[in-house]
Amino acid sequence: MTKRMTFKSVSEMPEIPISMGFMDWNKTGTWRAQRPYYVDKTPPCSASCPVGNDIVSFIQKIAEEDLEGAWRVLREENPLPGVCGRVCFHPCESRCNRSFLDEPVAIHALERFVADDMELRKEKVKREIEKAKEKVAIIGSGPAGLSCAYHLARFHYPVTVFESFSLPGGMLRMGIPPYRLPREVLEREISLIESMGVEIRTGVTLGQNLDWEELKSFSAIFMATGAHLSRALGIPGEKRRGVFQGLEFLKKINSGKKVTLGERIGIIGGGNTAIDVARSVLRLGKKAIILYRRSKEEMPAFEEEISEALEEGVKIRYLVSPIQIHSRNGLKRVECLRMKLGEKDETGRRKPIPIPNSNFFIEVDSLIIAAGEEIEFSFFPKGWERREGILLTQRDGSIGVKGLFAGGDLTSLQRTVAHAIGSGKRAALAIDCYFKGRDSEETLRQILIGEGPSISIFRYLHPDERPMDSHIVRFEELNMDYFEQARRQKESKLPPKVRIKDFREVTSTLPSSLAIEEAGRCFSCGTCNGCETCYVFCPDASILKREGVFLREVDYEFCKGCGICFTECPRGAITLKEEAK
Amino acid sequence: MKKIPIPIEENLGRGHLACAGCGAAIGMRLVLKALGERVVMVFPASCWSIIPGFWPYSSFRVTAIHAGFVTGGATASGIRAALDVKGDDETLVVVWGGDGGTFDIGLQALSGAAERNEDFIYICNDNEGYMNTGTQRSSATPLMAWTTTTPVAQPKENPKKDIMAIMADHQIPYAATATIAYPEDLLRKMEKAKGIRGTRFIHLLSPCPPGWRIPSEICVKISRLAVRSRVFPLYEIEKGRIYTLQEEKRVVPVKEYLKLQGRFGHLSNSQIEEIQRRVDESWDRLQRKARC
Ligand SMILES: Cc1cc2nc3c(=O)[nH]c(=O)nc-3n(C[C@H](O)[C@H](O)[C@H](O)COP(=O)(O)OP(=O)(O)OC[C@H]3O[C@@H](n4cnc5c(N)ncnc54)[C@H](O)[C@@H]3O)c2cc1C
Ligand SMILES: Cc1ncc(C[n+]2csc(CCOP(=O)(O)OP(=O)(O)O)c2C)c(N)n1
Ligand code: SF4
Ligand code: SF4
Ligand code: SF4
Ligand SMILES: [Mg+2]
């Protein structure tokens, strides 16, 4: 009995005051001054992942021990999780809300863990059916090109990748040494992309054995040729024999070629290339000394790489700037000036200022210059707009010439694998829009993660599933009453002495028990994980279940708007707004 | 994340008249889930004379009897006796009385029943005042708190009565404190109580948003802070002697608890320190009891 009742006479009434019906006719929802509602928000990790990984979802799957699910979630956005889990500098972790409680979640280690799971790799990748008639050419098989190819294949376009080197992978193969990225991992992920129907033609160089004319049969082109020219220092003597270019050196040893070096090797530069060169040099049994003109704080190389290099025995001399390279008796004498740090420059780092008359010499057997990479523009048609050494593009990768798109290092000063993958995704989306006559800027806006620039291909393909408000969840919006401090799991590393014996991988994948434990540390910021805390505490039983299943629904007929569900939700997945008067 | 497992049955139906965010409504929902269908609930006058609804309606899906303000212990004794006469020893008799109905006006009936070790569970729903009639002080109102009868100009001069010690001294088989922010703990204690015969006493702290002058959305948070600040420690007493104290990992100063509540808004720092000192003392006393 849930209706109101009326008695026509006293005789209809019971003899004692006994209740005869329930109160369900009393719709207490009318009392409500504020309305709680479920809305998933953007976690800061995803918002800062240049790839646009759905971090909360894949970690959630690991926590539920559904590794296949985790693998599927990862591959919605990223064809190279095994690569990223190893070499990405993980800006996601720097923004992880967990760091306000103890330490960030080891997102990269979890990504790698899923990508490395043997069982998952047995799963057959289905070849995407190439329904679409428009063919797409991709120039360059680095992470940008591969990512674009992968997503276009998922959109059912026939894709051909042209790569000038004899093997695909770009810097992942030629730059990053195998002790950080074993080649099996790279090959395994590339072959998954190929098995989806992507054709990779190696040994084909645009501007040499492929010309623009031949590309006319393609309806769109994505340029992702990277930045492969070693930047010169512009000092006398750098062209001498026995002075090598950092990237050239890495390319050689990474493709198994011999390089004749002396014993003591000087390396000039402070970026990732310099560190990779130095650590490779150690692995060839030589000594490595890095010369860098600023101090450790300003080094553009990733923190962890620097400390690993130091552990292994790389020496770094800070605040020294080479001004001339002399040669004497086969030795290289590097004339240097000592530096001091001045005001911050436009990159936010303190500027090195030479100390007058501080000249001194450093003697080494060979010298490797790793002062950064630049873009090869020679084979580009005239008129393509460039600035600060990069090709200018719109947010969607279009360059202002119909059907032409570009991404990766070629178009960005943020030169990382993750940025390259992200740009490849955006271009794939833009190419799809271009063929379908859609406004790509508007489409992009709808699938931005937070404020962007990363996008969610999952949301593009499934607009109604897993919607996410662009609001980025702050730590203060979480309810720490539900979380306790817990140690971050660390991947184990080989001892430095063993590491430098050869090019074997330094870091190992988390064992499954630790990965699951680590996944349990994630707050799931802004994303309901069905913990049912809201259901437990509602004083009005207005958080609904049907047949025991949590519905993630508020019964507005009865909810009085107390807001307890909003306050208690551990992860800010409920919003409270004032009820319209 | 681990779910808090609670039974699915809703024996407190929707449409009830508790204020938005009522802590006791959370408590009632959980308690009724734990008790199941075979129960007779006894309600001496309190908010719960009103909340279930008005005649001829009620939100309860279980048998409930409204009783006079002073009569919780006595009515329950009578119902128990009647059931026994009928040969029904399965149906539980459970009293749900307010703090006024327990600490003050109903203490005699409760004490009598407890001394006879009557076979029922007595839940004291403590919202620290006579809330149903507009927030008058009771002997459960904390020291220096504001109520309408202890205005800011003359806040409560006496400390809260130690009802747990009183009940322990009746040497009843089981007494426990509980509060709504710890549903698993509450359910566990209810289960434990159900498995024991004789007088069982649950002291349930339920924050009252209008009476405590707190926004409704922090009701559960306040309940949690009561425990974390040790203002309301969670513990059990078996046979009136064996104390089991539940140590809280995250202890906070009482100030954290007091400062969120309008009823303590007038307190000076030295008054807060005084309260802290007394809370520390009671904690020491409890620890000593737990040790022997
Ligand atoms: C030594 C080193 C270490 C690095 N370490 C890291 C790291 O740890 N983490 C990280 O995030 N980033 C790292 N980076 C940066 C990262 O490798 C690049 O940002 C990323 O690879 C860029 O991807 P891309 O696809 O734009 O270009 P690339 O990876 O450079 O790929 C471009 C491809 O295009 C091909 N190509 C060029 N011209 C032509 C042409 N005319 N015709 C056909 N093919 C052509 C090239 O052969 C190459 O294979 C490192 C870079 C270097 C140099
Ligand atoms: C003998 C008697 N005196 C006074 C009342 C009025 N009255 C009804 S409920 C109530 C207050 C009860 O306070 P408490 O027991 O703490 O329960 P709460 O309302 O706070 O839940 C009072 C004074 C009454 N019903 N009977
Ligand atoms: S706690 Fe989890 S969801 Fe939140 S930022 Fe960290 S990884 Fe992302
Ligand atoms: S806890 Fe219940 S009554 Fe309170 S706002 Fe949430 S749904 Fe509404
Ligand atoms: S309390 Fe738990 S179930 Fe409820 S919205 Fe938050 S995450 Fe989801
Ligand atoms: Mg009361």
Side-chain angles (χ1 to χ4, degrees):
Chain A
M1 262 277 224
T2 57
K3 292 213 174 56
R4 293 208 73 159
M5 49 187 99
T6 41
F7 299 105
K8 292 199 188 74
S9 68
V10 175
S11 64
E12 286 183 18
M13 295 185 183
E15 285 184 2
I16 53 163
I18 184 170
S19 64
M20 302 167 76
F22 297 132
M23 287 292 286
D24 299 53
W25 52 267
N26 184 34
K27 306 298 183 210
T28 50
T30 56
W31 303 11
R32 195 170 52 241
Q34 42 185 11
R35 167 183 292 249
Y37 57 101
Y38 292 92
V39 49
D40 278 357
K41 303 165 190 74
T42 307
C45 51
S46 284
S48 53
C49 169
V51 173
N53 277 339
D54 186 347
I55 295 169
V56 173
S57 299
F58 94 79
I59 293 185
Q60 180 60 39
K61 296 279 184 211
I62 302 176
E64 290 164 7
E65 303 189 26
D66 172 11
L67 296 192
E68 207 181 308
W71 168 248
R72 245 180 280 118
V73 170
L74 272 176
R75 290 188 49 91
E76 280 161 6
E77 308 297 339
N78 187 0
L80 302 169
V83 170
C84 287
R86 289 174 164 82
V87 306
C88 179
F89 65 111
H90 40 76
C92 53
E93 292 183 22
S94 323
R95 290 280 309 280
C96 172
N97 272 332
R98 181 93 206 188
S99 46
F100 294 99
L101 177 64
D102 41 39
E103 290 173 281
V105 174
I107 302 169
H108 77 281
L110 293 176
E111 183 177 19
R112 168 177 173 164
F113 164 75
V114 174
D116 280 11
D117 191 277
M118 292 297 279
E119 288 305 307
L120 299 176
R121 271 186 273 134
K122 285 192 196 138
E123 182 203 14
K124 265 259 169 289
V125 170
K126 75 168 193 300
R127 198 187 156 89
E128 297 290 340
I129 310 143
E130 296 160 358
K131 290 196 280 243
K133 55 182 188 309
E134 297 93 342
K135 293 197 297 171
V136 184
I138 292 177
I139 316 297
S141 67
L146 290 172
S147 151
C148 187
Y150 169 77
H151 290 290
L152 285 170
R154 293 173 72 204
F155 302 157
H156 308 294
Y157 294 105
V159 184
T160 311
V161 181
F162 298 97
E163 166 58 52
S164 64
F165 191 61
S166 56
L167 292 165
M171 283 300 184
L172 305 179
R173 187 182 295 275
M174 293 182 274
I176 301 177
Y179 60 83
R180 293 204 288 125
L181 177 59
R183 296 305 179 247
E184 313 81 88
V185 176
L186 180 61
E187 270 147 26
R188 168 179 104 201
E189 299 199 326
I190 294 177
S191 75
L192 282 181
I193 298 171
E194 286 177 306
S195 55
M196 291 170 67
V198 170
E199 188 194 353
I200 304 181
R201 289 216 236 146
T202 54
V204 184
T205 306
L206 178 62
Q208 288 178 19
N209 53 355
L210 175 73
D211 58 34
W212 290 97
E213 209 45 45
E214 288 169 71
L215 290 174
K216 287 242 163 84
S217 63
F218 292 91
S219 311
I221 301 172
F222 177 60
M223 299 289 301
T225 46
H228 286 247
L229 295 181
S230 290
R231 187 175 291 143
L233 286 177
I235 60 170
E238 69 175 307
K239 295 269 153 24
R240 280 174 200 275
R241 276 193 57 216
V243 181
F244 301 88
Q245 301 299 329
L247 191 55
E248 295 312 312
F249 168 79
L250 285 174
K251 278 184 187 173
K252 278 211 175 98
I253 59 166
N254 286 339
S255 51
K257 295 210 181 82
K258 271 231 143 54
V259 188
T260 335
L261 292 174
E263 277 310 302
R264 254 168 74 86
I265 319 295
I267 297 128
I268 301 175
N272 284 317
T273 310
I275 301 285
D276 278 336
V277 167
R279 295 179 70 188
S280 299
V281 159
L282 291 186
R283 284 161 172 77
L284 297 172
K286 317 285 177 186
K287 291 200 165 58
I289 307 143
I290 291 180
L291 308 180
Y292 180 52
R293 54 194 186 126
R294 308 191 209 211
S295 73
K296 188 168 178 182
E297 284 67 54
E298 288 81 30
M299 266 190 138
F302 307 143
E303 181 83 41
E304 195 168 352
E305 308 269 320
I306 302 173
S307 50
E308 285 181 2
L310 292 171
E311 281 166 16
E312 290 166 6
V314 171
K315 298 272 177 297
I316 306 180
R317 296 196 59 175
Y318 301 103
L319 295 165
V320 297
S321 179
I323 51 168
Q324 188 165 358
I325 299 162
H326 309 267
S327 275
R328 192 205 283 161
N329 310 332
L331 277 182
K332 298 279 159 299
R333 292 188 84 218
V334 189
E335 184 175 356
C336 300
L337 276 180
R338 288 189 210 286
M339 312 294 274
K340 61 179 183 199
L341 292 178
E343 296 294 301
K344 285 191 176 156
D345 66 7
E346 64 285 349
T347 65
R349 297 177 302 164
R350 293 179 64 190
K351 237 197 185 106
I353 304 169
I355 303 173
N357 305 320
S358 61
N359 305 43
F360 69 104
F361 291 88
I362 293 174
E363 287 194 348
V364 290
D365 296 314
S366 313
L367 196 64
I368 305 178
I369 300 172
E373 288 78 33
E374 286 174 348
I375 287 161
E376 161 101 82
F377 275 115
S378 58
F379 60 92
F380 280 69
K382 290 212 171 57
W384 288 19
E385 228 187 310
R386 45 180 116 148
R387 196 177 298 156
E388 290 174 41
I390 59 167
L391 183 65
L392 285 190
T393 56
Q394 298 296 314
R395 180 152 75 163
D396 66 356
S398 57
I399 62 168
V401 182
K402 255 185 97 164
L404 272 172
F405 301 82
D409 281 4
L410 172 63
T411 62
S412 168
L413 289 171
Q414 284 172 302
R415 292 188 178 158
T416 75
V417 173
H419 283 96
I421 296 174
S423 73
K425 267 171 81 169
R426 279 189 296 277
L429 174 98
I431 290 170
D432 192 38
C433 289
Y434 168 68
F435 290 150
K436 293 186 171 141
R438 285 193 199 134
D439 177 353
S440 66
E441 183 52 33
E442 182 47 37
T443 311
L444 219 123
R445 223 191 330 271
Q446 285 169 9
I447 56 169
L448 285 182
I449 299 171
E451 265 108 59
S454 297
I455 56 166
S456 163
I457 293 288
F458 178 82
R459 265 155 58 202
Y460 182 56
L461 294 175
H462 312 270
D464 300 324
E465 288 173 55
R466 281 197 246 145
M468 194 187 268
D469 189 277
S470 65
H471 173 75
I472 298 169
V473 182
R474 283 172 293 116
F475 179 71
E476 295 71 35
E477 294 169 60
L478 306 172
N479 187 346
M480 280 308 119
D481 290 333
Y482 291 88
F483 303 101
E484 281 173 22
Q485 293 197 338
R487 234 186 53 235
R488 170 180 159 110
Q489 299 298 339
K490 288 199 173 61
E491 297 159 310
S492 65
K493 288 182 191 175
L494 293 175
K497 279 211 181 82
V498 180
R499 287 185 214 163
I500 58 171
K501 283 189 185 152
D502 50 31
F503 284 80
R504 76 181 78 176
E505 186 166 27
V506 168
T507 310
S508 52
T509 311
L510 279 184
S512 128
S513 59
L514 296 188
I516 292 163
E517 215 175 302
E518 184 62 16
R521 291 179 68 237
C522 171
F523 296 148
S524 185
C525 303
T527 309
C528 172
N529 66 357
C531 70
E532 298 185 6
T533 303
C534 49
Y535 160 78
V536 168
F537 286 117
C538 176
D540 292 279
S542 296
I543 305 277
L544 296 175
K545 276 196 177 186
R546 194 171 297 130
E547 282 155 19
V549 179
F550 177 65
L551 297 181
R552 202 167 164 253
E553 238 175 69
V554 177
D555 183 347
Y556 293 113
E557 271 196 330
F558 294 102
C559 160
K560 292 171 187 162
C562 69
I564 288 176
C565 50
F566 157 78
T567 309
E568 288 308 309
C569 174
R571 53 206 104 255
I574 298 178
T575 302
L576 197 60
K577 70 164 186 219
E578 219 173 291
E579 198 67 77
K581 297 245 162 56
Chain B
M1 155 156 298
K2 205 169 109 260
K3 285 182 195 173
I4 304 168
I6 65 172
I8 189 81
E9 296 77 24
E10 298 292 354
N11 286 329
L12 173 64
R14 287 179 259 261
H16 65 68
L17 303 175
C19 304
C22 171
I26 298 175
M28 180 65 81
R29 214 185 131 219
L30 292 168
V31 161
L32 292 187
K33 279 173 185 285
L35 289 174
E37 313 267 301
R38 295 209 63 175
V39 60
V40 176
M41 300 289 297
V42 178
F43 290 98
S46 80
C47 289
W48 288 86
S49 308
I50 305 301
I51 292 173
F54 39 82
W55 186 81
Y57 313 99
S58 164
S59 334
F60 289 132
R61 267 44 169 183
V62 293
T63 308
I65 294 173
H66 291 285
F69 199 9
V70 302
T71 68
T75 309
S77 304
I79 293 170
R80 179 74 266 161
L83 287 169
D84 288 346
V85 168
K86 285 175 68 184
D88 176 353
D89 61 355
E90 259 177 63
T91 302
L92 276 167
V93 178
V94 179
V95 187
W96 174 287
D99 49 288
T102 306
F103 287 57
D104 297 344
I105 194 167
L107 187 62
Q108 172 276 133
L110 171 61
S111 175
E115 188 270 335
R116 296 189 303 273
N117 197 23
E118 294 280 355
D119 187 18
F120 58 68
I121 300 176
Y122 192 106
I123 299 169
C124 171
N125 174 58
D126 184 4
N127 52 20
E128 306 196 313
Y130 290 71
M131 298 317 192
N132 183 46
T133 43
T135 317
Q136 293 83 19
R137 101 194 258 291
S138 77
S139 58
T141 303
L143 181 71
M144 291 187 249
W146 163 92
T147 65
T148 53
T149 48
T150 50
V152 169
Q154 207 180 338
K156 195 181 180 233
E157 289 166 5
N158 319 90
K160 185 181 176 105
K161 188 186 277 182
D162 188 351
I163 193 76
M164 285 294 283
I166 294 171
M167 294 316 294
D169 281 350
H170 285 75
Q171 297 171 47
I172 54 172
Y174 185 64
T177 62
T179 185
I180 55 162
Y182 298 81
E184 269 176 296
D185 181 64
L186 171 59
L187 293 182
R188 179 182 68 79
K189 286 167 178 168
M190 290 307 301
E191 280 310 318
K192 188 158 174 182
K194 272 166 76 178
I196 298 171
R197 286 261 142 132
T199 308
R200 294 140 278 173
F201 183 78
I202 306 283
H203 183 191
L204 176 67
L205 184 74
S206 304
C208 164
W212 294 16
R213 297 290 190 261
I214 55 171
S216 56
E217 60 259 30
I218 66 166
C219 183
V220 173
K221 192 182 164 78
I222 289 288
S223 152
R224 192 178 292 118
L225 283 172
V227 175
R228 291 196 172 162
S229 63
R230 293 183 170 148
V231 166
F232 191 83
L234 293 178
Y235 61 101
E236 294 164 282
I237 311 170
E238 274 154 284
K239 304 189 180 87
R241 287 179 280 113
I242 308 156
Y243 281 68
T244 312
L245 207 52
Q246 292 160 249
E247 292 268 2
E248 202 12 76
K249 266 191 247 160
R250 294 192 229 176
V251 180
V252 299
V254 288
K255 189 171 184 186
E256 299 297 306
Y257 171 68
L258 302 174
K259 75 178 182 197
L260 296 174
Q261 303 178 48
R263 63 176 175 156
F264 294 114
H266 55 280
L267 295 188
S268 66
N269 279 339
S270 62
Q271 286 172 313
I272 292 174
E273 278 163 29
E274 168 67 11
I275 294 175
Q276 179 72 61
R277 200 180 54 72
R278 287 175 184 247
V279 164
D280 292 345
E281 253 176 39
S282 322
W283 177 251
D284 282 347
R285 216 177 313 127
L286 255 184
Q287 277 189 313
R288 256 180 276 123
K289 285 181 179 173
R291 250 179 264 129
C292 52

